Amino acid sequence: TNSVKDILSSEYAPPDRFYTLSALLGRLFVDIPPPPHSNRATQPKALPSSSSSSKKTDSNDKTNTSNTTSSSEDIEKLKKQLTTSQKLYEKQTALLSLASNPIYTQNLPSAPQPLLSLWKRLHAHKTATVFKRPVNSRDAPGYADKIFYPMDLSLIRKMITTGQICSYQDLHHKVALICHNCCKFNGRDTDYGIVARDFEAYCDECIVAAVKAATVEAEKIASKEKQKHLGSTVDASVKSVNTTNASPITSSF
């Protein structure tokens, strides 16, 4: 009772008549500034305890650490995306540059060994298993009705040995036809379609590397022949000079 009276006589008691006891008691737990024209000075707020401040510091450190980790992860993801995009761009550029390379389009009827070596490399890849033999109509009903130009790796080898495939370009087109038929019949996003796209990507890399190596070898041979030709030309000129100097001088008298 005395406490209630003290509260009622205090400056913090509400001036209206709608207050309740619970509202008055609740004001004891709230930092309320003194009313205007009060003789009571504003009480300074209590400083937070060291434990609460340390907890806040720890929580802030954890938040900063998590933000740093997430930002570093985002940076790594962005770097991977940029690297993937750069590799894809370089691959597409290399494929487009094949058409202007004479080594890619020239026929090799008398020397099919480079094409057979490349075929062996493609044939040995792990994704080439389903493309080594012709598709059986019993395993794939309706295949003959949907695919008009079937192709497989065994048929490609026969075409190389018989001279029907004479260039890197011909081999590239036949391998692309295998992958095209697979995706057309099974679907691009099916298991067989994914295997076909992986195999095609591997074939593209192998053919680009083979053409690049053949181009470097052809440039070396051309450089040697050029040097040999220059050497023979110099020798011929030297001989002609020596012959001129060694000819007898006849007198006109």
Side-chain angles (χ1 to χ4, degrees):
T1 306
N2 294 330
S3 298
V4 174
K5 289 181 179 179
D6 293 338
I7 292 173
L8 292 176
S9 61
S10 172
E11 295 177 347
Y12 293 93
D16 52 46
R17 58 187 182 87
F18 297 102
Y19 62 87
T20 59
L21 180 61
S22 60
L24 293 175
L25 293 176
R27 288 173 179 265
L28 298 177
F29 300 96
V30 180
D31 187 13
I32 303 175
H37 309 292
S38 174
N39 297 325
R40 204 182 279 255
T42 304
Q43 297 179 358
K45 295 183 180 180
L47 296 175
S49 61
S50 60
S51 61
S52 61
S53 62
S54 62
K55 288 181 180 179
K56 289 182 179 179
T57 304
D58 294 339
S59 63
N60 292 333
D61 292 340
K62 290 180 180 179
T63 304
N64 294 333
T65 304
S66 62
N67 292 334
T68 305
T69 304
S70 61
S71 61
S72 61
E73 290 177 355
D74 294 338
I75 292 173
E76 290 297 329
K77 289 180 180 179
L78 183 60
K79 286 182 179 179
K80 289 181 179 180
Q81 291 177 358
L82 292 175
T83 303
T84 304
S85 300
Q86 182 66 23
K87 289 181 179 180
L88 183 61
Y89 173 76
E90 292 176 355
K91 179 181 177 181
Q92 295 297 330
T93 304
L95 289 174
L96 292 174
S97 63
L98 287 177
S100 59
N101 192 333
I103 301 297
Y104 177 70
T105 57
Q106 73 178 2
N107 293 335
L108 304 171
S110 59
Q113 190 59 37
L115 298 179
L116 288 175
S117 300
L118 180 57
W119 177 88
K120 289 179 181 179
R121 186 177 178 184
L122 302 180
H123 187 269
H125 195 254
K126 60 181 180 180
T127 57
T129 305
V130 295
F131 308 119
K132 292 182 178 181
R133 294 289 181 268
V135 177
N136 194 339
S137 58
R138 290 177 297 180
D139 298 332
Y143 187 85
D145 298 332
K146 195 172 183 179
I147 304 301
F148 301 104
Y149 302 99
M151 185 60 59
D152 62 275
L153 291 174
S154 63
L155 181 57
I156 288 178
R157 189 181 188 281
K158 292 179 182 178
M159 296 177 73
I160 292 174
T161 55
T162 57
Q164 299 180 48
I165 293 178
C166 303
S167 65
Y168 291 107
Q169 185 179 29
D170 294 338
L171 178 60
H172 201 181
H173 288 172
K174 296 301 183 290
V175 172
L177 182 59
I178 292 177
C179 303
H180 170 76
N181 291 341
C182 183
C183 292
K184 181 180 178 181
F185 183 77
N186 298 286
R188 182 178 176 84
D189 296 326
T190 60
D191 293 338
Y192 283 106
I194 294 173
V195 171
R197 284 187 287 159
D198 291 342
F199 179 66
E200 186 177 18
Y202 175 74
C203 293
D204 290 340
E205 293 177 0
C206 291
I207 291 173
V208 169
V211 172
K212 184 177 181 181
T215 302
V216 172
E217 187 66 24
E219 290 176 353
K220 289 181 179 179
I221 294 174
S223 178
K224 289 181 180 179
E225 290 180 352
K226 185 177 180 180
Q227 290 178 359
K228 185 178 179 180
H229 178 69
L230 289 175
S232 61
T233 304
V234 170
D235 292 339
S237 61
V238 169
K239 287 181 181 180
S240 63
V241 170
N242 292 334
T243 303
T244 304
N245 294 332
S247 60
I249 302 175
T250 59
S251 176
S252 59
F253 296 100

